[in-house]
Amino acid sequence: MSKRKSAKYKLDRRMGENIWGRPNSPVNRRSYGPGQHGQRRKSKMSDFGLQLRAKQKLKGYYGDVTEKQFRSTYKEAAAMKGDTGQNLIGLLEQRLDMVVYRAKFAPTIFAARQIVSHGHIRVNGVKCNIASRRVKVGDVVSLGNKAKEMALVIEAQSLPEREIPEYVATDGTDKVTFTRVPTLDEVPYPVTMEPNLVVEFYSR
């Protein structure tokens, strides 16, 4: 098992949840955490513990973005009008690697980031290799010619456990348009995300 794959599943087990909804997650077999102390009875979490867990889960879901990137995104969300938690989700969903994942061009968020960084993705017809690029409403995201034949992409498009959300409009199998910034309840998370607790964490 690759280092990235084992780390990804370790996050599932640490959270005790199958955060990406993958059928081969170890949480489907073992609900306790990783390591020799994983089966110990869990004590009641403090407010800080709950907030930290919510942050780790959300950050992990988006491909374990760096703390610097995540905090920067939070600050941007807090400076915007409206609900900070909703703003945070909207900004995270606008990341190019996440749009690629939502479009089912990649089986995992980690693979989506790799496809972007290797130059296989076009935004409005222009190659882009920056995974954190902010996709704007109306932008067209498409696969490069080589990517259309990649086994990874073909596998992703056949995955039954994920559906493409309404805010990512498909045009064939190799092109999507980002039609709007979604609200929390529109995002197809396999588990409950609590951006309000993330806001509380950074507001301390």
Side-chain angles (χ1 to χ4, degrees), residues 13 85 96 108 179 196:
R13 288 185 59 201
L96 179 56
T108 67
T179 59
N196 57 310

Side-chain angles (χ1 to χ4, degrees), residues 70-160:
F70 197 74
R71 182 184 286 271
S72 174
T73 305
Y74 163 76
K75 285 180 178 176
E76 193 175 344
M80 293 165 66
K81 287 182 180 178
D83 182 84
T84 301
Q86 293 277 7
N87 293 341
L88 177 62
I89 296 301
L91 290 173
L92 290 168
E93 285 293 310
Q94 286 177 269
R95 286 177 58 98
L96 179 56
D97 55 0
M98 183 48 62
V99 175
V100 168
Y101 176 66
R102 291 283 179 235
K104 291 180 77 170
F105 292 164
T108 67
I109 180 59
F110 302 98
R113 187 170 300 160
Q114 189 175 40
I115 286 172
V116 174
S117 64
H118 288 184
H120 293 301
I121 296 298
R122 308 283 182 270
V123 179
N124 300 326
V126 179
K127 183 165 78 172
C128 180
N129 60 2
I130 302 167
S132 60
R133 172 175 170 165
R134 186 79 41 80
V135 176
K136 299 185 182 77
V137 173
D139 279 353
V140 175
V141 177
S142 58
L143 291 167
N145 288 331
K146 281 186 181 178
K148 294 173 190 177
E149 309 299 324
M150 288 169 64
L152 194 74
V153 174
I154 294 165
E155 176 207 342
Q157 291 174 333
S158 66
L159 288 175

Side-chain angles (χ1 to χ4, degrees), residues 61-62 93 98-105 161-171 176-189:
Y61 179 84
Y62 285 93
E93 285 293 310
M98 183 48 62
V99 175
V100 168
Y101 176 66
R102 291 283 179 235
K104 291 180 77 170
F105 292 164
E161 68 265 20
R162 279 200 294 131
E163 290 186 5
I164 300 172
E166 286 185 8
Y167 52 91
V168 178
T170 57
D171 180 1
V176 298
T177 301
F178 189 73
T179 59
R180 67 177 183 276
V181 178
T183 56
L184 174 62
D185 58 358
E186 288 181 295
V187 180
Y189 295 121

